[in-house]
Amino acid sequence: MKRKLGAPFLSPQSWPPPLPPAQSEIMKVVNLKQAILQAWKERWSDYQWAINMKKLFPKGATWDILNLAEALLEQAMIGPSPNPLILSYLKYAISSQMVSYSSVLTAISKFDDFSRDLCVQALLDIMDMFCDRLSCHGKAEECIGLCRALLSALHWLLRCTAASAERLREGLEAGTPAAGEKQLAMCLQRLEKTLSSTKNRALLHIAKLEEASSWTAIEHSLLKLGEILANLSNPQLRSQAEQCGTLIRSIPTMLSVHAEQMHKTGFPTVHAVILLEGTMNLTGETQSLVEQLMMVKRMQHIPTPLFVLEIWKACFVGLIESPEGTEELKWTAFTFLKIPQVLVKLKKYSHGDKDFTEDVNCAFEFLLKLTPLLDKADQRCNCDCTNFLLQECGKQGLLSEASVNNLMAKRKADREHAPQQKSGENANIQPNIQLILRAEPTVTNILKTMDADHSKSPEGLLGVLGHMLSGKSLDLLLAAAAATGKLKSFARKFINLNEFTTYGSEESTKPASVRALLFDISFLMLCHVAQTYGSEVILSESRTGAEVPFFETWMQTCMPEEGKILNPDHPCFRPDSTKVESLVALLNNSSEMKLVQMKWHEACLSISAAILEILNAWENGVLAFESIQKITDNIKGKVCSLAVCAVAWLVAHVRMLGLDEREKSLQMIRQLAGPLFSENTLQFYNERVVIMNSILERMCADVLQQTATQIKFPSTGVDTMPYWNLLPPKRPIKEVLTDIFAKVLEKGWVDSRSIHIFDTLLHMGGVYWFCNNLIKELLKETRKEHTLRAVELLYSIFCLDMQQVTLVLLGHILPGLLTDSSKWHSLMDPPGTALAKLAVWCALSSYSSHKGQASTRQKKRHREDIEDYISLFPLDDVQPSKLMRLLSSNEDDANILSSPNRSMSSSLSASQLHTVNMRDPLNRVLANLFLLISSILGSRTAGPHTQFVQWFMEECVDCLEQGGRGSVLQFMPFTTVSELVKVSAMSSPKVVLAITDLSLPLGRQVAAKAIAAL
């Protein structure tokens, strides 16, 4: 198609003639090139050219679709040197925003003849115009286009730099270095200018996720450039190149860099988490403790040496504070058996083995400076605690042998100046630490012994169990088993033994007495384990169709526990009447209990009804007190388990009686707990009675307090229930809560006793009452350092039941404060900042752990799941039907949600594209909170509540490595991002990257749009 070049300018309306749509785009490009050539021939100035171009193409496609930038560069770069006039047109087009930055960058990156120096330098000059102030205010697709174009331009710059460096090397060899050096300096200058902008690096971060293959090409170019520049003699250029390389390599990890807190030395949260676990959850999973500790470390940016030091400090404080007896043994096992295992798992989270052993060594160096703490622990444990701890760490590979010896020598020198104990005072007492460390392998041996066939050598087994009962052996073995995660299998073995010994057929006197003893010892041990470590340790995983063992059935239905109310008329207490009659006759008439062919499980289940018959007979004067004494002696004379079962029922029975009806029942408990008047004839009786009395004392504690009765249990010299009944009498529990919190805040750390008081108050007042009152205390604080300390302590107190507290805090308390303008003043800084921090910490902890199992101590508490969260939170008042469909989306709706042509709903968030289960209360509460945050940001009223939202989001960014799939930020509607960047403190590229889910194409588009507009 031949036409005069000047024609279009003479009659712009008639030219070009209308064409079919398929050809029109091609024609426009052809005509565009012709128009550029015409402008050049007629030597138009840049603004004249622009005016005529706009007349030429008045409507329809934009200049980017016509590839104006590429057309101009193509024409400008035809000769060995660039055409200055056409380049002036391009510069004018860039300055007047006729063409987008992305189209210019794409056009530049297509030029690959790096031998034409003048052309390359012209292109570098054009890049210099805008490379540090890129922006785009168009659609999300255009912003993603800018990211891709910038990635291409970076690749082009790297190739250009490599070519220039190669030229320089050749020039040096030929003796003409000047030209090559100038061009290399220009390339490096543009690279540095482009990469020094955080905004550009954020756009490149998005582009890397969009086009992984292009990023690989960049990495290859970077390696190649490094090899070429390694031989460069100019140190300035080499350091500039290295700096650019570092910036490029930092792009993929630009979100995971956090500064650690170096100015603080104490971390009350770590301290409290350790104390809580050691005091209340020795049987808990090691992995869940490790994850909880890592979460605290990450949220508070704690350096590893100080983190490990805080763990050791808490362990020593726990050892010193622990009440004598079982609690002391539990703490010893926790410190010397469980914590080294925890550190072994923490080591896996560390970047390198060598680094972690250095950090542990550093922590011990710090610990050795805390001489008073170590001296006090040594005095309490009657040995060199640090020595044992170092040996354990050495065995687990946490310290090198040289470090262990060095630290031991330092501590030995310190101990020489320690206050000496009176000679001979504790010289013959073996330290608990030694006993616990010896008990651990014994546990394994006992488990092996228990695996053998019980019917083959019951006497041998009885000998082993008899030894376990003497002194504090049982508590030592249980503590060692609990700390090493073997307690559940330990309990299972004893349940199997107990089941095996319930009934024996055709037996003589001796095997019958061995069977009775095995039944009794296993029953007492299991009761003791349930009371000391919680009944969850005993219960087996529910198996369909499998018969539930006798002890499990009895424990669930008949055994009194804290917070468990038993019905004395329950069918489990009302067995077959003929069995009851024969048992009553046996207890009343015989001089002692018969053992041969006795079905012990039946006797245990029948004893409650038998006691009721005997009580009735006593009440009605049929039996005298002497007869009752004889009966109670018969009950506990041979097999202590019967006495335990009898008292279990009596405790439930006394609760149901009036004040004047209780005397006989309480007298019966006194008789069963008192000394035996007749002779005992079975082995290990004294050892069994000690365990029986501690079981009875725990069983009766609640009912004796409620009935204001005192029963003297035979004393072993050790408080069996050290943390029981800690609340002061006749004081409102709210006063107790505020007082104990004030004391803890003043002291700066939570001790074991306070933890138990908080736990009791949480149990009594309920989750909402507990959380609400503590948050009120936090909001009263006005000093910044106090509020921060309060947050660290409150977080650790909330760990008593983190899941439920988080639901209350995020679902009730925060929305109440944010939506009620009369409460906004309480959200001012510093308490508002502190509350935002606490809310984020709780949200992150609960969200990361709520897929796992609830911990033992949380299962114990009666669940008061705050109504039904689905009816409580309809999730949006404006568009309920649409939103309910969105937010309860299941797998079937996933394709609708992720379809590209779907319009973005005001509430669409990453969690829906990941099809997170919205029937889960925590997910629901989080989705609601972020909808509320979104509406606050979008509303016209600003105030402390808006400021609170900013602090909340800042804390989210600070605590998160990346706003990905596992993050709470996935519940934030995508539309919130554009509202957030309007807040000055949040308008940074890093914040945008952190709060959007970059694993999703839609997330990347939202992030690119927000960053490109900054």
Side-chain angles (χ1 to χ4, degrees), residues 698-709:
R698 283 172 183 261
M699 272 186 180
C700 299
D702 273 350
V703 81
L704 295 181
Q705 187 188 28
Q706 286 158 12
T707 57
T709 312

mmCIF file with all atom_site columns, all heavy atoms in Angstrom, residues 698-709:
data_model
loop_
_atom_site.group_PDB
_atom_site.id
_atom_site.type_symbol
_atom_site.label_atom_id
_atom_site.label_alt_id
_atom_site.label_comp_id
_atom_site.label_asym_id
_atom_site.label_entity_id
_atom_site.label_seq_id
_atom_site.pdbx_PDB_ins_code
_atom_site.Cartn_x
_atom_site.Cartn_y
_atom_site.Cartn_z
_atom_site.occupancy
_atom_site.B_iso_or_equiv
_atom_site.pdbx_formal_charge
_atom_site.auth_seq_id
_atom_site.auth_comp_id
_atom_site.auth_asym_id
_atom_site.auth_atom_id
_atom_site.pdbx_PDB_model_num
ATOM 1  N N   . ARG A 1 698 ? -7.164  -36.084 99.076  1.00 0.00 ? 698 ARG A N   1
ATOM 2  C CA  . ARG A 1 698 ? -7.496  -35.285 97.884  1.00 0.00 ? 698 ARG A CA  1
ATOM 3  C C   . ARG A 1 698 ? -8.976  -35.423 97.534  1.00 0.00 ? 698 ARG A C   1
ATOM 4  O O   . ARG A 1 698 ? -9.614  -34.458 97.118  1.00 0.00 ? 698 ARG A O   1
ATOM 5  C CB  . ARG A 1 698 ? -6.647  -35.724 96.694  1.00 0.00 ? 698 ARG A CB  1
ATOM 6  C CG  . ARG A 1 698 ? -5.220  -35.211 96.742  1.00 0.00 ? 698 ARG A CG  1
ATOM 7  C CD  . ARG A 1 698 ? -4.419  -35.869 95.630  1.00 0.00 ? 698 ARG A CD  1
ATOM 8  N NE  . ARG A 1 698 ? -3.017  -35.501 95.636  1.00 0.00 ? 698 ARG A NE  1
ATOM 9  C CZ  . ARG A 1 698 ? -2.470  -34.573 94.845  1.00 0.00 ? 698 ARG A CZ  1
ATOM 10 N NH1 . ARG A 1 698 ? -3.207  -33.913 93.996  1.00 0.00 ? 698 ARG A NH1 1
ATOM 11 N NH2 . ARG A 1 698 ? -1.179  -34.320 94.904  1.00 0.00 ? 698 ARG A NH2 1
ATOM 12 N N   . MET A 1 699 ? -9.505  -36.652 97.659  1.00 0.00 ? 699 MET A N   1
ATOM 13 C CA  . MET A 1 699 ? -10.920 -36.892 97.331  1.00 0.00 ? 699 MET A CA  1
ATOM 14 C C   . MET A 1 699 ? -11.846 -36.077 98.219  1.00 0.00 ? 699 MET A C   1
ATOM 15 O O   . MET A 1 699 ? -12.873 -35.569 97.778  1.00 0.00 ? 699 MET A O   1
ATOM 16 C CB  . MET A 1 699 ? -11.253 -38.373 97.529  1.00 0.00 ? 699 MET A CB  1
ATOM 17 C CG  . MET A 1 699 ? -10.990 -39.230 96.329  1.00 0.00 ? 699 MET A CG  1
ATOM 18 S SD  . MET A 1 699 ? -11.620 -40.878 96.699  1.00 0.00 ? 699 MET A SD  1
ATOM 19 C CE  . MET A 1 699 ? -11.231 -41.730 95.202  1.00 0.00 ? 699 MET A CE  1
ATOM 20 N N   . CYS A 1 700 ? -11.480 -35.976 99.499  1.00 0.00 ? 700 CYS A N   1
ATOM 21 C CA  . CYS A 1 700 ? -12.393 -35.364 100.472 1.00 0.00 ? 700 CYS A CA  1
ATOM 22 C C   . CYS A 1 700 ? -12.219 -33.847 100.578 1.00 0.00 ? 700 CYS A C   1
ATOM 23 O O   . CYS A 1 700 ? -13.041 -33.186 101.202 1.00 0.00 ? 700 CYS A O   1
ATOM 24 C CB  . CYS A 1 700 ? -12.158 -35.964 101.854 1.00 0.00 ? 700 CYS A CB  1
ATOM 25 S SG  . CYS A 1 700 ? -12.472 -37.729 101.907 1.00 0.00 ? 700 CYS A SG  1
ATOM 26 N N   . ALA A 1 701 ? -11.123 -33.314 99.995  1.00 0.00 ? 701 ALA A N   1
ATOM 27 C CA  . ALA A 1 701 ? -10.780 -31.905 100.234 1.00 0.00 ? 701 ALA A CA  1
ATOM 28 C C   . ALA A 1 701 ? -11.948 -30.958 99.973  1.00 0.00 ? 701 ALA A C   1
ATOM 29 O O   . ALA A 1 701 ? -12.293 -30.132 100.828 1.00 0.00 ? 701 ALA A O   1
ATOM 30 C CB  . ALA A 1 701 ? -9.584  -31.518 99.364  1.00 0.00 ? 701 ALA A CB  1
ATOM 31 N N   . ASP A 1 702 ? -12.580 -31.089 98.793  1.00 0.00 ? 702 ASP A N   1
ATOM 32 C CA  . ASP A 1 702 ? -13.672 -30.167 98.434  1.00 0.00 ? 702 ASP A CA  1
ATOM 33 C C   . ASP A 1 702 ? -14.839 -30.275 99.393  1.00 0.00 ? 702 ASP A C   1
ATOM 34 O O   . ASP A 1 702 ? -15.355 -29.272 99.889  1.00 0.00 ? 702 ASP A O   1
ATOM 35 C CB  . ASP A 1 702 ? -14.168 -30.468 97.004  1.00 0.00 ? 702 ASP A CB  1
ATOM 36 C CG  . ASP A 1 702 ? -13.351 -29.715 95.970  1.00 0.00 ? 702 ASP A CG  1
ATOM 37 O OD1 . ASP A 1 702 ? -12.565 -28.857 96.381  1.00 0.00 ? 702 ASP A OD1 1
ATOM 38 O OD2 . ASP A 1 702 ? -13.490 -30.010 94.768  1.00 0.00 ? 702 ASP A OD2 1
ATOM 39 N N   . VAL A 1 703 ? -15.270 -31.499 99.657  1.00 0.00 ? 703 VAL A N   1
ATOM 40 C CA  . VAL A 1 703 ? -16.481 -31.710 100.458 1.00 0.00 ? 703 VAL A CA  1
ATOM 41 C C   . VAL A 1 703 ? -16.249 -31.308 101.917 1.00 0.00 ? 703 VAL A C   1
ATOM 42 O O   . VAL A 1 703 ? -17.139 -30.779 102.576 1.00 0.00 ? 703 VAL A O   1
ATOM 43 C CB  . VAL A 1 703 ? -17.003 -33.163 100.313 1.00 0.00 ? 703 VAL A CB  1
ATOM 44 C CG1 . VAL A 1 703 ? -16.265 -34.129 101.198 1.00 0.00 ? 703 VAL A CG1 1
ATOM 45 C CG2 . VAL A 1 703 ? -18.499 -33.227 100.592 1.00 0.00 ? 703 VAL A CG2 1
ATOM 46 N N   . LEU A 1 704 ? -15.033 -31.507 102.413 1.00 0.00 ? 704 LEU A N   1
ATOM 47 C CA  . LEU A 1 704 ? -14.738 -31.105 103.793 1.00 0.00 ? 704 LEU A CA  1
ATOM 48 C C   . LEU A 1 704 ? -14.751 -29.585 103.919 1.00 0.00 ? 704 LEU A C   1
ATOM 49 O O   . LEU A 1 704 ? -15.198 -29.036 104.918 1.00 0.00 ? 704 LEU A O   1
ATOM 50 C CB  . LEU A 1 704 ? -13.377 -31.651 104.249 1.00 0.00 ? 704 LEU A CB  1
ATOM 51 C CG  . LEU A 1 704 ? -13.262 -33.182 104.350 1.00 0.00 ? 704 LEU A CG  1
ATOM 52 C CD1 . LEU A 1 704 ? -11.887 -33.590 104.831 1.00 0.00 ? 704 LEU A CD1 1
ATOM 53 C CD2 . LEU A 1 704 ? -14.326 -33.754 105.279 1.00 0.00 ? 704 LEU A CD2 1
ATOM 54 N N   . GLN A 1 705 ? -14.276 -28.918 102.877 1.00 0.00 ? 705 GLN A N   1
ATOM 55 C CA  . GLN A 1 705 ? -14.302 -27.451 102.903 1.00 0.00 ? 705 GLN A CA  1
ATOM 56 C C   . GLN A 1 705 ? -15.744 -26.949 102.848 1.00 0.00 ? 705 GLN A C   1
ATOM 57 O O   . GLN A 1 705 ? -16.132 -26.053 103.594 1.00 0.00 ? 705 GLN A O   1
ATOM 58 C CB  . GLN A 1 705 ? -13.512 -26.904 101.705 1.00 0.00 ? 705 GLN A CB  1
ATOM 59 C CG  . GLN A 1 705 ? -13.352 -25.390 101.763 1.00 0.00 ? 705 GLN A CG  1
ATOM 60 C CD  . GLN A 1 705 ? -12.740 -24.815 100.493 1.00 0.00 ? 705 GLN A CD  1
ATOM 61 O OE1 . GLN A 1 705 ? -12.897 -25.388 99.427  1.00 0.00 ? 705 GLN A OE1 1
ATOM 62 N NE2 . GLN A 1 705 ? -12.055 -23.718 100.610 1.00 0.00 ? 705 GLN A NE2 1
ATOM 63 N N   . GLN A 1 706 ? -16.562 -27.589 101.991 1.00 0.00 ? 706 GLN A N   1
ATOM 64 C CA  . GLN A 1 706 ? -17.956 -27.153 101.842 1.00 0.00 ? 706 GLN A CA  1
ATOM 65 C C   . GLN A 1 706 ? -18.786 -27.418 103.097 1.00 0.00 ? 706 GLN A C   1
ATOM 66 O O   . GLN A 1 706 ? -19.703 -26.680 103.409 1.00 0.00 ? 706 GLN A O   1
ATOM 67 C CB  . GLN A 1 706 ? -18.590 -27.849 100.633 1.00 0.00 ? 706 GLN A CB  1
ATOM 68 C CG  . GLN A 1 706 ? -18.092 -27.286 99.320  1.00 0.00 ? 706 GLN A CG  1
ATOM 69 C CD  . GLN A 1 706 ? -18.272 -28.253 98.152  1.00 0.00 ? 706 GLN A CD  1
ATOM 70 O OE1 . GLN A 1 706 ? -18.966 -29.243 98.276  1.00 0.00 ? 706 GLN A OE1 1
ATOM 71 N NE2 . GLN A 1 706 ? -17.645 -27.953 97.033  1.00 0.00 ? 706 GLN A NE2 1
ATOM 72 N N   . THR A 1 707 ? -18.448 -28.493 103.814 1.00 0.00 ? 707 THR A N   1
ATOM 73 C CA  . THR A 1 707 ? -19.233 -28.839 105.007 1.00 0.00 ? 707 THR A CA  1
ATOM 74 C C   . THR A 1 707 ? -18.553 -28.347 106.283 1.00 0.00 ? 707 THR A C   1
ATOM 75 O O   . THR A 1 707 ? -18.990 -28.653 107.381 1.00 0.00 ? 707 THR A O   1
ATOM 76 C CB  . THR A 1 707 ? -19.428 -30.371 105.088 1.00 0.00 ? 707 THR A CB  1
ATOM 77 O OG1 . THR A 1 707 ? -18.134 -30.987 105.091 1.00 0.00 ? 707 THR A OG1 1
ATOM 78 C CG2 . THR A 1 707 ? -20.232 -30.899 103.928 1.00 0.00 ? 707 THR A CG2 1
ATOM 79 N N   . ALA A 1 708 ? -17.453 -27.599 106.134 1.00 0.00 ? 708 ALA A N   1
ATOM 80 C CA  . ALA A 1 708 ? -16.696 -27.054 107.270 1.00 0.00 ? 708 ALA A CA  1
ATOM 81 C C   . ALA A 1 708 ? -16.364 -28.132 108.291 1.00 0.00 ? 708 ALA A C   1
ATOM 82 O O   . ALA A 1 708 ? -16.554 -27.976 109.490 1.00 0.00 ? 708 ALA A O   1
ATOM 83 C CB  . ALA A 1 708 ? -17.485 -25.914 107.919 1.00 0.00 ? 708 ALA A CB  1
ATOM 84 N N   . THR A 1 709 ? -15.906 -29.269 107.770 1.00 0.00 ? 709 THR A N   1
ATOM 85 C CA  . THR A 1 709 ? -15.568 -30.404 108.637 1.00 0.00 ? 709 THR A CA  1
ATOM 86 C C   . THR A 1 709 ? -14.064 -30.611 108.614 1.00 0.00 ? 709 THR A C   1
ATOM 87 O O   . THR A 1 709 ? -13.419 -30.321 107.611 1.00 0.00 ? 709 THR A O   1
ATOM 88 C CB  . THR A 1 709 ? -16.237 -31.693 108.101 1.00 0.00 ? 709 THR A CB  1
ATOM 89 O OG1 . THR A 1 709 ? -17.600 -31.409 107.832 1.00 0.00 ? 709 THR A OG1 1
ATOM 90 C CG2 . THR A 1 709 ? -16.129 -32.834 109.094 1.00 0.00 ? 709 THR A CG2 1
#
